[in-house]
Amino acid sequence: MGVIDPAFIQAPEHRPKHESIAAENIPLIDLSPALNPPLDSDNSLSELTAEIGSACKNWGFFQVINHGVPSKSREKMESVARKFFALPKEEKRKVMRDEVNPFGYYDSEHTKNVRDWKEIFDLAVEDPIVFPASHEPDDTELKALSNKWPENFPELREACEEYTKEMEKLAFKLLDLIALSLGLPKGRFNGFFKDQTTRIRLNYYPPCPAPHLTLGLGRHKDTGVLTVLGQDDVAGLEVKRKVDGEWILVKPTPDAYIINVGDIIQVWSNDEYESVEHRVVVNSQKERLSFPYFLYPSHYTWVEPLKEMITEQNPAKFKAYNWGKFRATRNHGNLRKLNVENIQISHFRI
């Protein structure tokens, strides 16, 4: 039995099971009808949107293939991320995030007050990114934050910026399909992203001497709109199955991306689609890399159910909240390792 710092140890009820359940049935969706419409494109597109709607409703997660992202862009991202995390600690800590700027390297991330077994590197898609200066509701000051890039490793910035462009194309294609699946016009969501606060995170999960006691990333839901997850071929992501609450290990599919809807889509859809809990397990033999793209709206966006999703029979289930202040409050709590459990969309449920 491995010995690790108690800060990493999960409460018994949240520790991973000895044997994970592998999910062969997490929906795997072919996006080619949306990228290369065949002759019967109307039928193919309606089938595709129905598939996506079913996956969002029943799982909150799905995988996509034939997504249009060039393999070389992803391979470059993975290769450069490996090189970055292999740098000496003192080099990585030159671009350490701090209480003013949440972007850069970090190795003490906590989820639900338990330390995660991982290292991360965060970057904003828009650089500089504009965000509220504080989490205080009455403070209207804004600040511009810039990404922190290692001076002696320019390849990291090059790979990330190239990869970001590909992720953006895929994310907005998926947004269109999700809108159509809800009976909304294509492009219905696009107006929320003029000054987007979208970010990418590189995750490195080293081998762990006690994988039965800890998690690479504790259970959580994603607060944003949509997450597009690229990863290597080592399994680690577990999704909480809606029908029975079991934790399901997602088996990596070559060249696929894993997609999940976030809290904002749950609110916009007025609970039609639900953001689902997930976590990451680690192992004692292999390191694991993943690089999620978190699609976030502008800081001034007020998140609330779309009017088209509200009827007399289905009234609004959430009150509006400001995205920038919501994220600033969570960042404030996370940086100080405070309990941010109550800062969830459930707080805004009517």
Side-chain angles (χ1 to χ4, degrees):
M1 175 174 168
V3 177
I4 60 169
D5 185 327
F8 290 102
I9 297 177
Q10 294 281 331
E13 65 271 22
H14 299 307
R15 292 174 192 168
K17 291 183 178 176
H18 183 61
E19 290 293 330
S20 292
I21 303 171
E24 300 296 339
N25 54 345
I26 289 242
L28 181 66
I29 297 176
D30 184 344
L31 289 186
S32 52
L35 301 175
N36 308 296
L39 293 175
D40 60 340
S41 58
D42 286 349
N43 285 339
S44 297
L45 196 58
S46 64
E47 286 171 16
L48 174 58
T49 56
E51 269 190 276
I52 284 179
S54 173
C56 288
K57 193 168 182 64
N58 297 322
W59 279 93
F61 272 80
F62 55 96
Q63 299 184 77
V64 293
I65 53 172
N66 297 323
H67 39 65
V69 178
S71 296
K72 63 178 176 55
S73 175
R74 177 174 175 158
E75 287 161 5
K76 184 176 177 182
M77 184 73 166
E78 184 178 328
S79 169
V80 167
R82 283 192 196 285
K83 289 176 186 171
F84 171 74
F85 287 116
L87 292 173
K89 270 278 202 246
E90 59 268 23
E91 281 298 307
K92 290 182 282 191
R93 285 181 171 160
K94 287 178 182 175
V95 288
M96 194 87 163
R97 84 181 189 192
D98 54 44
E99 291 201 1
V100 176
N101 189 338
F103 299 107
Y105 174 75
Y106 199 55
D107 58 359
S108 302
E109 184 95 328
H110 286 62
T111 305
K112 313 252 189 239
N113 296 323
V114 181
R115 190 169 168 186
D116 296 326
W117 190 267
K118 68 175 179 183
E119 298 174 33
I120 62 172
F121 181 82
D122 283 326
L123 61 128
V125 165
E126 294 207 350
D127 190 8
I129 184 175
V130 177
F131 225 68
S134 84
H135 66 291
E136 298 294 344
D138 298 328
D139 184 355
T140 57
E141 186 186 348
L142 298 174
K143 62 183 175 184
L145 299 172
S146 293
N147 288 325
K148 295 181 176 182
W149 298 106
E151 283 183 21
N152 301 324
F153 192 51
E155 303 99 302
L156 182 64
R157 181 172 188 167
E158 291 164 19
C160 287
E161 289 180 348
E162 178 187 321
Y163 187 73
T164 293
K165 290 173 188 167
E166 297 300 337
M167 287 296 96
E168 190 159 69
K169 285 189 273 190
L170 176 55
F172 280 95
K173 175 62 69 179
L174 290 163
L175 262 192
D176 282 348
L177 293 167
I178 289 171
L180 291 171
S181 76
L182 287 165
L184 301 169
K186 180 181 173 183
R188 174 63 176 89
F189 299 125
N190 292 357
F192 296 108
F193 300 95
K194 184 179 175 218
D195 299 302
Q196 61 180 313
T197 55
T198 300
R199 64 179 63 191
I200 284 183
R201 167 169 285 186
L202 312 184
N203 289 311
Y204 172 67
Y205 303 98
C208 177
H212 58 295
L213 296 177
T214 190
L215 290 167
L217 174 58
R219 72 198 192 285
H220 68 288
K221 296 183 178 186
D222 288 353
T223 58
V225 177
L226 195 69
T227 303
V228 181
L229 177 72
Q231 61 173 13
D232 62 16
D233 58 0
V234 178
L237 175 67
E238 289 192 337
V239 174
K240 196 171 190 179
R241 189 162 54 190
K242 288 179 69 173
V243 291
D244 57 8
E246 286 282 358
W247 286 105
I248 305 297
L249 183 68
V250 180
K251 184 179 176 185
T253 300
D255 201 37
Y257 283 93
I258 299 170
I259 315 300
N260 63 285
V261 299
D263 289 346
I264 292 179
I265 281 187
Q266 181 169 347
V267 175
W268 280 346
S269 72
N270 203 28
D271 266 353
E272 182 68 19
Y273 297 158
E274 183 186 351
S275 176
V276 170
E277 267 196 323
H278 49 289
R279 66 184 187 182
V280 173
V281 295
V282 287
N283 69 80
S284 59
Q285 305 298 319
K286 294 181 178 178
E287 62 183 12
R288 179 175 177 265
L289 273 179
S290 73
F291 17 97
Y293 170 96
F294 299 108
L295 183 64
Y296 292 163
S298 57
H299 72 85
Y300 47 77
T301 297
W302 282 87
V303 180
E304 59 189 324
L306 299 178
K307 62 181 188 302
E308 302 97 314
M309 302 304 297
I310 301 169
T311 64
E312 229 176 275
Q313 297 75 31
N314 189 34
K317 295 185 171 122
F318 299 90
K319 57 188 176 185
Y321 63 93
N322 179 271
W323 169 248
K325 287 296 183 184
F326 176 81
R327 280 301 302 185
T329 303
R330 286 180 65 96
N331 286 343
H332 173 78
N334 286 331
L335 284 167
R336 288 161 181 76
K337 301 182 182 61
L338 302 175
N339 186 352
V340 290
E341 284 298 279
N342 60 335
I343 312 169
Q344 305 284 348
I345 57 164
S346 56
H347 182 68
F348 306 104
R349 192 173 280 282
I350 294 171

